[in-house]
Amino acid sequence: MKQDLIVILDLGSTQNTVLAREIRDLGVYSEIHPHDITAEELAALPNVKGVILNGGENRVVDGQEVQIREELYGLGYPMISVDYPQSKCSNCLSALPDQEALKKFLFDTCKAETNWNMKNFIEDQVELIRQQVGDRKVLLALSGGVDSSVVAAMLIKAIGTQLTCVHVNHGLMRKNESESVVKVFRDELHANLVYVDASERFLGKLAGVADPEQKRKIIGGEFIRVFEEEARKLEGIDFLGQGTIYPDIIESGTKTAKMVKSHHNVGGLPEDLKFELVEPLKQLFKDEVRACGVELGLPHDMVYRQPFPGPGLGVRCLGAITRDRLEAVREADAILREEFARAGLDKKVWQYFTVVPDFKSVGMKNNARVFEYMVIIRAINTVDAMTASVEKVDWDVLERITNRILAEVENVNRVCYDMSPKPPATIEFE
């Protein structure tokens, strides 16, 4: 393997991601694993140089303090503990290590080398994919978003024609999104792409469903069913490739942290899943995924395209999905993207989108009272999707967007701008 690895064991810290990124910034690869990892699982990880027992305020779960398995101490890895009273390793700190203490542990104690970079990460993941898959075949859920596109490129590099990409149009895509996916991947990148129009199927399953978590689980579950059906048309499909990234896992809940929301590729997977998962990006943050895409040679526009949730517009058409509100959010989103590109904000703002709530407000059109929906605009900046700040959009730009939405989108009489950072808000509304 090309990279040394420092393992962070989650023993209740709220700073796991901060620590992981700090270690990577020092040039050493790090991964976060659950506190109850077995000795066999830890020993199977490639090129482990040291272990950090990262305790914190969430170390009590269901009335019991979380602890590592005793046999881990006997594996011989250098260990350091942070705010973990039960630790039996000699190297302990009462708080998050400062930069010098961390450097001393990484480079003096663990003898780790600064070999964390995207070239080495890709080479390691390609090797791991080949070991996992062998001569068998992988079915990839290809939305056309950044995460699945980078996974597609990595899988093509690793296993070539053993990969079949499936793009499912669930009826919740942005305007012209599916057409763009087919054009780029089938026509330009010559991927083995299967296109499935399942719009009516998904919308039927979602009819009357208002709870956000139930919507996500229905969409996630139905995705898997579609893939299973497509797999049955092929031969020897044993694996499902997914663009799961680390924020998806964190927000779907860990053993010491509560769920923020489930992601269709984490919390929404059915228990009777017929495939083994291939998830080479699951330890990366969003900015690292983009860097990975650049290193893999993907087009700039593809790597830096707008993030789009797996459930698509289903979590931006708030509450129970109706076709008129779904069309309103789709058209309003297209206007927003056009105007942000015109103003140069598409290169500045990390994510921007529209949502349409499931209630109406009174307005006036053609000198008559109307009762119609509102469109909410959200534009945020972030590095790793764990926190986010609101973009201060120029008033003239907002006014132009508002006027276009009110003039061009049916059933809408009001436009609002969301001023909420993350936290306390999340990036998406649902």
Side-chain angles (χ1 to χ4, degrees):
M1 304 299 284
K2 298 293 184 181
Q3 301 174 115
D4 291 343
L5 171 62
I6 298 294
V7 174
I8 300 169
L9 295 185
D10 176 15
L11 286 147
S13 175
T14 58
Q15 300 292 309
N16 288 314
T17 57
V18 174
L19 181 56
R21 292 189 67 91
E22 190 171 358
I23 294 170
R24 293 182 192 184
D25 286 345
L26 291 171
V28 182
Y29 183 52
S30 62
E31 290 185 354
I32 304 165
H33 289 270
H35 67 276
D36 57 357
I37 189 172
T38 66
E40 292 76 17
E41 290 169 335
L42 181 56
L45 295 175
N47 225 19
V48 175
K49 293 295 183 178
V51 178
I52 299 177
L53 311 179
N54 204 26
E57 59 191 68
N58 292 332
R59 62 174 171 263
V60 178
V61 177
D62 297 329
Q64 299 288 325
E65 276 200 72
V66 296
Q67 299 184 31
I68 69 167
R69 299 174 188 268
E70 289 286 324
E71 60 264 29
L72 265 58
Y73 291 111
L75 292 177
Y77 296 123
M79 286 188 176
I80 189 172
S81 71
V82 181
D83 196 15
Y84 177 50
Q86 291 85 2
S87 174
K88 294 184 179 180
C89 60
S90 57
N91 204 345
C92 304
L93 294 171
S94 59
L96 188 69
D98 60 30
Q99 192 83 344
E100 288 308 311
L102 187 57
K103 286 181 179 178
K104 183 177 180 181
F105 177 69
L106 297 179
F107 303 117
D108 295 344
T109 306
C110 299
K111 309 298 183 186
E113 296 184 11
T114 55
N115 49 22
W116 156 242
N117 56 60
M118 275 305 152
K119 183 176 185 296
N120 286 344
F121 174 81
I122 290 168
E123 289 185 16
D124 283 352
Q125 291 302 317
V126 164
E127 182 180 333
L128 290 171
I129 291 167
R130 288 171 177 166
Q131 291 174 1
Q132 181 184 9
V133 174
D135 59 357
R136 292 176 289 174
K137 296 179 181 179
V138 179
L139 190 64
L140 173 65
L142 177 58
S143 69
V146 177
D147 303 335
S148 64
S149 297
V150 174
V151 168
M154 188 176 289
L155 286 171
I156 290 169
K157 182 178 179 66
I159 58 173
T161 57
Q162 294 168 242
L163 172 68
T164 297
C165 298
V166 176
H167 174 69
V168 178
N169 180 359
H170 50 22
L172 305 170
M173 305 295 289
R174 290 174 289 198
K175 190 172 183 178
N176 299 325
E177 190 89 15
S178 286
E179 293 85 348
S180 174
V181 168
V182 172
K183 181 178 183 295
V184 170
F185 284 92
R186 179 185 290 169
D187 301 342
E188 297 178 11
L189 299 182
H190 309 294
N192 183 12
L193 176 65
V194 176
Y195 171 73
V196 183
D197 186 351
S199 304
E200 293 302 320
R201 174 173 172 171
F202 275 83
L203 293 177
K205 293 277 187 180
L206 290 164
V209 179
D211 179 72
E213 281 304 302
Q214 191 178 357
K215 285 201 292 187
R216 286 177 177 272
K217 285 181 166 57
I218 288 172
I219 294 168
E222 203 62 22
F223 258 118
I224 299 300
R225 299 307 174 209
V226 173
F227 292 139
E228 286 178 335
E229 291 171 13
E230 293 304 316
R232 283 195 289 270
K233 300 174 186 177
L234 305 168
E235 292 184 2
I237 298 291
D238 295 310
F239 297 90
L240 177 66
Q242 290 202 135
T244 308
I245 65 175
Y246 196 68
D248 297 343
I249 296 171
I250 290 291
E251 290 192 336
S252 295
T254 66
K255 293 179 180 178
T256 64
K258 293 181 179 178
M259 178 182 70
V260 177
K261 60 187 177 185
S262 69
H263 287 257
H264 76 286
N265 52 357
V266 182
L269 293 174
E271 294 181 1
D272 60 343
L273 184 66
K274 299 293 195 300
F275 305 108
E276 183 179 337
L277 296 180
V278 180
E279 301 174 301
L281 307 182
K282 66 181 179 181
Q283 289 287 347
L284 294 188
F285 298 94
K286 196 74 177 190
D287 58 314
E288 294 172 333
V289 174
R290 294 188 192 280
C292 186
V294 171
E295 182 66 32
L296 283 164
L298 287 175
H300 182 275
D301 290 347
M302 184 180 298
V303 172
Y304 287 94
R305 72 187 305 173
Q306 275 286 292
F308 194 53
L313 299 181
V315 291
R316 296 177 181 173
C317 184
L318 306 185
I321 297 170
T322 59
R323 292 176 187 265
D324 58 344
R325 285 192 300 113
L326 182 59
E327 191 61 22
V329 74
R330 181 179 284 121
E331 291 298 324
D333 176 80
I335 291 171
L336 177 67
R337 287 188 284 134
E338 286 175 13
E339 291 299 332
F340 264 43
R342 176 181 171 186
L345 291 171
D346 58 326
K347 298 178 177 63
K348 178 185 177 187
V349 182
W350 189 82
Q351 188 170 10
Y352 44 94
F353 56 89
T354 60
V355 300
V356 176
D358 57 347
F359 57 84
K360 296 180 178 181
S361 66
V362 175
M364 291 287 295
K365 285 186 177 179
N366 300 319
N367 297 316
R369 180 183 183 276
V370 293
F371 199 47
E372 296 179 324
Y373 298 112
M374 71 171 64
V375 169
I376 302 173
I377 297 171
R378 184 147 173 78
I380 58 93
N381 287 309
T382 183
V383 172
D384 57 13
M386 302 305 293
T387 62
S389 60
V390 177
E391 174 67 18
K392 297 177 181 178
V393 180
D394 183 80
W395 189 260
D396 289 341
V397 176
L398 283 177
E399 188 173 36
R400 188 164 61 244
I401 293 168
T402 298
N403 290 339
R404 281 196 61 189
I405 289 174
L406 293 178
E408 299 175 30
V409 181
E410 294 185 5
N411 302 308
V412 170
N413 66 357
R414 196 178 298 266
V415 178
C416 301
Y417 190 68
D418 182 3
M419 294 293 294
S420 313
K422 175 183 180 178
T426 54
I427 293 174
E428 299 286 343
F429 275 59
E430 290 188 341

